[in-house]
């Protein structure tokens, strides 16, 4: 069974367990990782029907008292109102500092539950049990927890690490094809920024991954989590290195915001953002044309979009300037001069940024570059 560690020092280290069928081992793992024996599962109704009883039974078998709370499905749930309401439920049930929060869900449930854990009585233990590919390979690892503000996504949050991440790749069987492909954007991102051997593995195995063939899927999740664990272990609070995980996100976040989060899934917007970043690196003289084309081809093979919907470039640039990744009005781009290497640049010429985005929102042919 693959197991990775996020190394933050002493008591703060935590394992990422990746095991098909691992949901039934939740109790046994939780017992090893937390002191309290009251578990509060936060999930949403559809997931509760699919996986709630298995998660609860496993915890009960390991002598946990289990409470479950369902929140509505969807991004709107990441709100201060939900946070307050969940904390109200916990107080009414007389939960205390030894309560363990179990986030059973995708990024929305994980981010919200993590912030509940960070703030309830100034912080209680929490466990991530991610159920989407995106959450399994990205949002459940690394402790970024948040809710949204009316003026911006993830604007109220914290770095608050889980005690355990338990990934059961078998639960992806019930994930829609579109959501699954969106998760693959973060997989591809990780390979591009940090591991060229893994990038080649993805090129060879994309068909098997899309069929959710278990050994290949498990290995894909393991390698992606390993990259994330390594980056987070070196730079937990994004003072430097961790920002490379934002590859494709500068334009990606702008595309999501431009369409009020209704048109692209996060991974779809990141996919287009990666094509733009690859092109930008090439236009800045940093990367060969082949690097752009390999990324574009793999993103396409994963069934992800490689071009935008003719959005206004100026409007997109305005969204980029208010993003939390921009600093003092300067745009930060993660660029990949080679597959497997990333660097951060805030010194790009406005001309090349405009040109790259323009090409990508309109769609460009190989001969354009
Ligand atoms: N998703 C980027 C990060 O966790 O830093």
């Amino acid at each position: 069974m693959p197991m990775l560690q996020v190394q933050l020092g002493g008591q703060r280290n935590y394992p990422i367990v990746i095991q098909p069928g691992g949901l039934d081992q939740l109790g046994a793992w939780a017992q090893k990782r937390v002191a309290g024996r009251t578990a509060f599962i936060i999930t949403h109704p559809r997931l509760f029907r699919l996986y709630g009883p298995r998660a609860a039974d496993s915890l009960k078998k390991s002598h946990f008292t289990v409470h479950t709370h369902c929140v509505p499905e969807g991004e709107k749930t990441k709100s201060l109102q939900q946070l307050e309401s969940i904390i109200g439920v916990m107080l009414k049930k007389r939960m205390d500092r030894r309560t363990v929060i179990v986030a059973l869900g995708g990024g929305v449930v994980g981010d919200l539950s993590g912030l509940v854990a960070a703030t309830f009585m100034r912080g209680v233990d929490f466990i991530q049990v991610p159920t989407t590919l995106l959450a399994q390979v990205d949002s459940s690892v690394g402790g970024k927890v948040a809710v949204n503000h009316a003026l911006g996504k993830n604007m109220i949050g914290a770095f608050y690490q889980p005690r355990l991440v338990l990934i059961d790749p078998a639960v992806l069987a019930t994930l829609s094809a579109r959501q699954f492909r969106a998760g693959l954007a973060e997989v591809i991102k990780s390979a591009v920024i940090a591991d060229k051997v893994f990038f080649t593995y993805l090129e060879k195995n994309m068909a098997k991954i899309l069929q959710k063939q278990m050994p290949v899927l498990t290995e894909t999740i393991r390698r992606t989590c390993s990259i994330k664990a390594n980056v987070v272990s070196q730079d937990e609070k994004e003072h430097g290195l961790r920002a490379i995980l934002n590859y494709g996100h500068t334009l990606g976040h702008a595309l999501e915001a431009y369409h009020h989060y209704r048109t692209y899934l996060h991974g779809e917007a990141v996919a287009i953002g990666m094509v733009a970043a690859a092109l930008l690196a090439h236009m800045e003289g940093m990367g060969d044309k082949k690097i752009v084309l390999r990324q574009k081809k793999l993103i396409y093979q994963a069934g992800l979009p490689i071009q935008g919907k003719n959005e206004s470039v100026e409007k997109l640039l305005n969204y980029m300037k208010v993003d939390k990744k921009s600093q003092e009005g300067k745009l930060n781009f993660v660029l990949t001069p080679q597959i497997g290497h990333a660097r951060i640049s805030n010194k790009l010429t406005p001309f090349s940024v405009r040109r790259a985005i323009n090409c990508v929102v309109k769609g460009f042919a190989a001969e354009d570059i």
Side-chain angles (χ1 to χ4, degrees):
M1 168 219 346
M3 195 172 101
L4 304 162
Q5 278 273 340
V6 178
Q7 305 274 6
L8 300 169
Q11 288 291 311
R12 299 182 65 243
N13 293 348
Y14 61 91
I16 305 168
V17 178
I18 305 160
Q19 188 181 13
L23 188 58
D24 300 312
Q25 304 303 316
L26 172 62
W29 276 102
Q31 204 174 33
K32 288 187 205 153
R33 295 295 307 155
V34 297
R37 289 293 174 263
T38 301
F40 186 53
I41 301 177
I42 302 178
T43 187
H44 63 63
R46 189 174 53 82
L47 278 174
F48 176 72
R49 280 192 298 277
L50 286 167
Y51 303 116
R54 271 174 67 197
D57 285 353
S58 172
L59 286 161
K60 283 178 198 160
K61 270 191 204 133
S62 293
H63 314 294
F64 283 84
T65 302
V66 181
H67 302 269
T68 305
H69 180 76
C70 284
V71 293
E73 196 167 350
E75 190 70 27
K76 280 207 174 86
T77 288
K78 269 176 66 172
S79 67
L80 270 183
Q81 288 86 335
Q82 274 294 341
L83 180 95
E84 190 180 3
S85 143
I86 295 171
I87 287 178
V89 171
M90 294 176 75
L91 291 172
K92 281 188 197 135
K93 289 186 190 283
R94 302 213 178 285
M95 292 183 192
D96 62 23
R97 282 196 161 143
R98 281 167 62 91
T99 301
V100 183
I101 308 258
V102 179
L104 176 67
V108 168
V109 165
D111 286 9
L112 170 69
S113 308
L115 196 59
V116 171
T119 50
F120 179 70
M121 296 191 175
R122 297 203 177 90
V124 294
D125 283 343
F126 95 108
I127 293 174
Q128 289 272 22
V129 187
T131 57
T132 63
L133 181 59
L134 190 130
Q136 294 190 343
V137 296
D138 188 29
S139 59
S140 68
V141 176
K144 279 190 180 174
V145 298
V147 294
N148 300 330
H149 185 278
L151 295 179
K153 217 176 153 183
N154 294 331
M155 287 296 164
I156 307 162
F159 288 95
Y160 193 74
Q161 302 293 340
R163 300 290 304 134
L164 163 71
V165 180
L166 179 72
I167 298 174
D168 181 347
V171 304
L172 300 179
T174 54
L175 187 68
S176 74
R178 187 177 173 201
Q179 289 283 355
F180 184 78
R181 289 192 297 261
L184 287 176
E186 301 286 358
V187 171
I188 295 170
K189 170 203 82 178
S190 303
V192 178
I193 59 170
D195 189 341
K196 74 169 191 248
V197 177
F198 182 36
F199 190 90
T200 307
Y201 177 89
L202 293 175
E203 288 176 322
K204 284 200 188 122
N205 290 289
M206 189 49 78
K208 290 181 185 163
I209 295 170
L210 286 168
Q211 290 162 6
K212 300 182 185 168
Q213 289 189 18
M214 208 39 72
V216 178
L217 183 55
T218 303
E219 177 62 3
T220 299
I221 294 168
R222 186 193 68 78
R223 287 167 94 149
T224 312
C225 284
S226 163
I227 293 166
K228 178 120 194 209
N230 188 24
V231 170
V232 170
S233 299
Q234 291 178 65
D235 178 23
E236 182 189 0
K237 298 206 171 153
E238 203 166 309
H239 296 304
L241 178 72
R242 185 165 177 168
I244 66 170
L245 297 171
N246 294 328
Y247 183 58
H249 286 58
T250 306
L251 178 60
H253 280 162
L255 283 167
E256 287 182 276
Y258 183 104
H259 292 285
H260 308 286
Y261 301 93
R262 287 191 205 119
T263 301
Y264 298 112
L265 295 177
H266 176 68
E268 293 167 343
V270 167
I272 300 167
M274 287 193 282
V275 179
L279 190 56
L280 188 52
H282 174 64
M283 285 173 171
E284 288 288 306
M286 274 183 230
D288 194 88
K289 180 172 164 175
K290 271 197 207 130
I291 298 170
V292 185
L293 296 179
R294 273 182 85 189
Q295 290 184 61
K296 198 175 162 194
K297 188 169 170 204
L298 185 59
I299 292 167
Y300 182 76
Q301 280 176 343
L304 286 160
I306 48 173
Q307 71 179 69
K309 297 179 187 294
N310 206 6
E311 288 87 355
S312 147
V313 175
E314 291 313 312
K315 269 199 198 171
L316 286 171
L317 284 166
N318 284 337
Y319 278 111
M320 287 182 203
K321 284 179 193 150
V322 295
D323 193 85
K324 47 180 171 23
K325 291 182 300 309
S326 76
Q327 279 167 358
E328 291 156 5
K330 284 192 186 133
L331 292 180
N332 272 329
F333 267 91
V334 183
L335 299 176
T336 46
Q338 291 169 40
I339 302 285
H341 291 275
R343 56 186 267 201
I344 297 157
S345 173
N346 64 3
K347 294 195 173 53
L348 298 159
T349 63
F351 175 77
S352 52
V353 173
R354 275 195 177 78
R355 197 168 143 226
I357 294 175
N358 193 49
C359 271
V360 170
V361 295
K362 293 191 167 53
F364 68 99
E367 51 281 9
D368 293 340
I369 53 173

